[in-house]
Amino acid sequence: MNDLPSTGALSDEPATPGEADVPDPSSRQDRRAARAHSVRHRRRLLLVLLVLGVLAAPFLVAGAWFWWQLDPPGGAGAKVTVDIPSGTGVRGIGDRLHAAGIIGSSLAFRAYVEISGGGPYRAGRYQLRHHMGVRAAADQLAKGPSILRLALPPGLNLDQIAARVGQLPGLRADRFLAVAHLGKIRSKYEPAGVNTLEGLTFPDTYLVERGETETDVLRTLVCSFDAMGDRIGLGPRATAQGLTPYQAVIEASMIQGEAKLDVDRPLIAAVIDNRLRADMLLQIDTTVRYARGPDMAGPLTSADFKVDSPYNTYLVKGLPPTPIMTVSEASLQAVLAPANVDYLYYVVIDKSGKHAFATTYRQHLANVAEARKKGLL
């Protein structure tokens, strides 16, 4: 029958659902692929980081080790003295510091000096500390030697000693002289009423620590002289010679200026003693040089021998009022044990500094003539 319109006819086919209600197989595949890609990416990233970590580990360890060497924990230890000889390079210095236990590694020291631009370092003696580390050790070295050498040979007066002290970093000659004349530091062999340490410091080579004052240095020099005087029995032996200890030092200072050879010192001591007993002028050239002023070098002139001074033994009898320079032990021993001779005169007779001695003035004039013939006078 054809009574039903075709447009409204019922169909036996099931209704087709809408697209939003049906899963899309291609979308699920994309998500799975994305997740797999993310996992693979993370794995690759972790692998890269692991490789980088393995590669970087030695550098991290080396960096940590280096910083440890620069500033080791625990603080510095006991003081230790290290000598840096002249011409020692950074490698040699590092080796010495490491051997002394001041730093943990010579290599770290060299690396730090290279990186920081430190050095070169001056030769000398340094007072450092155990386990102080590379950075602190390099900083101390940059300041220069902390223990300085002060060379004071026999025959220097106070002005000359002060000049040498003034050459040390942080010390001044004028301050040293001021301390020497204050009277606060005194030698046990310095009599009451005497206020100068001229001749009462011991000639030697001293090690002066950086930071010591002029007072510290002077006290060391005077204590060294007193220790020497005690050791050789200056007090009782001077008394046995009819001298006070201070008079013995005065005599020794004149001998120090006159004698070049140790063999002559007891002989010159005898001449001084013989002249004093004979009430003669001592006529010691070195005292005239001292009377002339701080500069004791150079030839004497006729005007020098006329200088009005208690130190001019060509015009004033007896001993000078004070020593005129520092004395060696040999000069002081000569005073305490003079030669048993009756000489009254002496004059240099050889280029070595050897003297010719005479009992009479006539003999002396003959020696003087010979010295002039040799061009020594």
Side-chain angles (χ1 to χ4, degrees):
M1 296 181 60
N2 295 323
D3 294 336
L4 296 175
S6 60
T7 54
L10 297 176
S11 172
D12 292 334
E13 295 290 329
T16 302
E19 292 184 5
D21 299 324
V22 179
D24 187 349
S26 62
S27 177
R28 290 196 299 270
Q29 292 174 356
D30 289 343
R31 286 195 293 273
R32 284 197 296 271
R35 285 195 297 271
H37 176 75
S38 176
V39 170
R40 289 194 299 272
H41 178 74
R42 286 197 297 271
R43 288 175 178 173
R44 284 196 298 268
L45 181 60
L46 289 174
L47 181 61
V48 170
L49 291 176
L50 179 61
V51 171
L52 291 177
V54 171
L55 294 176
F59 298 98
L60 295 174
V61 171
W65 171 84
F66 181 69
W67 286 108
W68 181 284
Q69 297 298 328
L70 289 188
D71 300 296
K79 291 182 179 180
V80 58
T81 300
V82 176
D83 288 312
I84 306 298
S86 179
T88 306
V90 172
R91 177 186 292 273
I93 294 174
D95 291 344
R96 286 174 177 270
L97 298 181
H98 177 256
I102 295 166
I103 61 175
S105 168
S106 178
L107 175 61
F109 177 79
R110 298 199 303 272
Y112 178 75
V113 171
E114 180 68 24
I115 294 170
S116 65
Y121 301 112
R122 283 184 286 166
R125 179 165 290 186
Y126 293 80
Q127 189 171 82
L128 306 173
R129 288 185 176 276
H130 283 292
H131 195 61
M132 71 186 301
V134 166
R135 193 196 310 272
D139 290 345
Q140 285 293 101
L141 291 174
K143 297 176 182 178
S146 49
I147 301 180
L148 309 164
R149 290 172 60 87
L150 176 62
L152 301 176
L156 299 181
N157 58 40
L158 267 179
D159 288 331
Q160 293 168 325
I161 293 172
R164 295 194 177 211
V165 171
Q167 292 175 359
L168 300 182
L171 300 179
R172 283 174 31 189
D174 59 341
R175 290 200 300 246
F176 180 85
L177 284 175
V179 172
H181 293 299
L182 278 178
K184 292 184 178 180
I185 297 177
R186 298 183 63 84
S187 166
K188 66 181 295 183
Y189 296 107
E190 183 179 358
V194 174
N195 196 32
T196 177
L197 289 168
E198 190 76 86
L200 295 175
T201 60
F202 187 63
D204 202 351
T205 297
Y206 294 89
L207 299 178
V208 180
E209 291 189 29
R210 188 181 294 275
E212 286 192 48
T213 66
E214 292 82 0
T215 300
D216 296 328
V217 174
L218 181 62
R219 183 179 290 110
T220 298
L221 305 187
V222 173
C223 288
S224 294
F225 179 86
D226 288 354
M228 182 272 294
D230 292 347
R231 177 170 53 80
I232 67 173
L234 175 56
R237 292 178 65 191
T239 302
Q241 293 295 322
L243 301 168
T244 68
Y246 193 62
Q247 288 173 329
V249 178
I250 294 174
E251 277 199 37
S253 72
M254 293 188 291
I255 295 170
Q256 188 67 50
E258 294 287 289
K260 299 297 182 290
L261 304 177
D262 284 349
V263 67
D264 283 350
R265 298 185 196 279
L267 298 172
I268 295 176
V271 170
I272 293 174
D273 289 346
N274 292 338
R275 281 181 165 254
L276 288 172
R277 281 193 290 267
D279 197 30
M280 297 173 64
L281 290 166
L282 292 180
Q283 296 182 318
I284 302 291
D285 287 2
T286 306
T287 65
V288 178
R289 296 181 190 279
Y290 187 81
R292 184 170 61 183
D295 182 14
M296 297 180 66
L300 292 170
T301 66
S302 58
D304 291 331
F305 290 103
K306 299 176 183 177
V307 170
D308 183 12
S309 167
Y311 292 93
N312 188 347
T313 56
Y314 277 80
L315 298 179
V316 180
K317 287 183 178 180
L319 295 173
T322 71
I324 58 176
M325 61 179 63
T326 59
V327 303
S328 65
E329 183 176 329
S331 291
L332 200 50
Q333 291 279 16
V335 175
L336 301 176
N340 185 21
V341 294
D342 55 1
Y343 296 145
L344 292 172
Y345 307 91
Y346 61 87
V347 65
V348 66
I349 201 67
D350 188 84
K351 289 182 180 180
S352 67
K354 185 72 179 71
H355 288 83
F357 294 84
T359 302
T360 68
Y361 188 60
R362 181 179 297 227
Q363 293 171 337
H364 177 60
L365 289 179
N367 290 336
V368 169
E370 183 179 351
R372 284 179 176 154
K373 185 177 180 180
K374 293 180 178 179
L376 299 174
L377 296 179

